[in-house]
Amino acid sequence: LLTHQRSGIKTGMKKENIFITDNGDQLDLTHDKPTILRKIAPNKSMFVSGNNINVSTDSEYMHQLASDGVIVFTTTYDKNKVLISYPQTSTRGFVIINSALQLLKKIQVAFIESYHACKNLPTNEVEQAISLKMSNFIYKETGKKPFILTNLIKYNPTKTKITLESFDQEFKTK
């Protein structure tokens, strides 16, 4: 973090506008002046998925992961909210892949249907709504409630494309 602070100062940022906080601290930005509020965030396990933060009140998520596993859905959409990639589905502890290929195909179809049903919700609610629909679908199909993470990535064609050569060049200069 100190390296980032020095980089900021070298690029012209004022030191008083750079904040290094501890885990759990909150930076309160007001019109008067910024203030670091110590240890505001809960001192419990936190799981972050997209714009959603789930704070565990006990070890409920750990038990859920141990018994029902986790499924991660990742897909890309364009500016018109059209899916431009088939959803990548990763699972751990949910099913044995080779013996559940038909189930995984049904899950991917249900994911696409859920995306289309939810895509017009406010951006910060889409991932959570899809995860909820998928949780209900999977429970009906299997009786399991795996921890579900949904990652929707908006394709931006104007961003610089990363190639192996540009990656190598970036790190040779450091």
Side-chain angles (χ1 to χ4, degrees):
L1 293 175
L2 292 174
T3 302
H4 293 292
Q5 179 186 40
R6 286 191 286 274
S7 295
I9 292 170
K10 284 182 184 177
T11 60
M13 289 191 70
K14 296 179 184 172
K15 187 173 182 176
E16 61 268 14
N17 291 333
I18 300 171
F19 299 90
I20 298 176
T21 60
D22 290 329
N23 288 341
D25 288 351
Q26 178 179 348
L27 183 61
D28 184 28
L29 301 172
T30 63
H31 293 290
D32 299 328
K33 67 175 186 156
T35 307
I36 295 177
L37 305 173
R38 296 282 176 207
K39 301 298 178 199
I40 295 298
N43 191 12
K44 299 182 191 268
S45 297
M46 296 179 74
F47 298 92
V48 179
S49 168
N51 295 321
N52 306 312
I53 299 175
N54 297 311
V55 179
S56 176
T57 55
D58 54 33
S59 58
E60 65 191 65
Y61 289 110
M62 299 314 285
H63 291 289
Q64 183 181 2
L65 288 172
S67 64
D68 293 341
V70 63
I71 301 177
V72 179
F73 296 103
T74 304
T75 193
T76 307
Y77 65 96
D78 67 12
K79 65 181 180 180
N80 298 316
K81 298 185 179 181
V82 173
L83 290 179
I84 58 174
S85 73
Y86 197 72
Q88 297 293 312
T89 306
S90 303
T91 70
R92 295 293 180 267
F94 171 58
V95 292
I96 298 171
I97 301 293
N98 292 337
S99 62
L101 291 176
Q102 286 302 108
L103 172 63
L104 292 174
K105 286 180 184 177
K106 284 174 71 174
I107 288 172
Q108 286 191 318
V109 168
F111 177 87
I112 292 169
E113 290 170 352
S114 296
Y115 172 79
H116 288 295
C118 298
K119 69 182 180 182
N120 292 321
L121 290 173
T123 303
N124 62 337
E125 296 176 18
V126 175
E127 288 176 344
Q128 186 175 5
I130 292 172
S131 292
L132 180 62
K133 283 182 171 290
M134 292 309 301
S135 181
N136 292 334
F137 175 82
I138 291 167
Y139 184 75
K140 285 177 189 171
E141 291 290 317
T142 66
K144 289 185 167 190
K145 287 190 104 23
F147 188 77
I148 297 176
L149 299 173
T150 300
N151 298 305
L152 301 175
I153 302 165
K154 185 175 182 181
Y155 175 68
N156 184 348
T158 60
K159 283 192 174 181
T160 304
K161 297 199 184 316
I162 297 174
T163 63
L164 186 55
E165 292 79 22
S166 66
F167 181 79
D168 285 343
Q169 186 63 34
E170 174 72 21
F171 285 94
K172 284 181 184 174
T173 59
K174 292 185 179 182

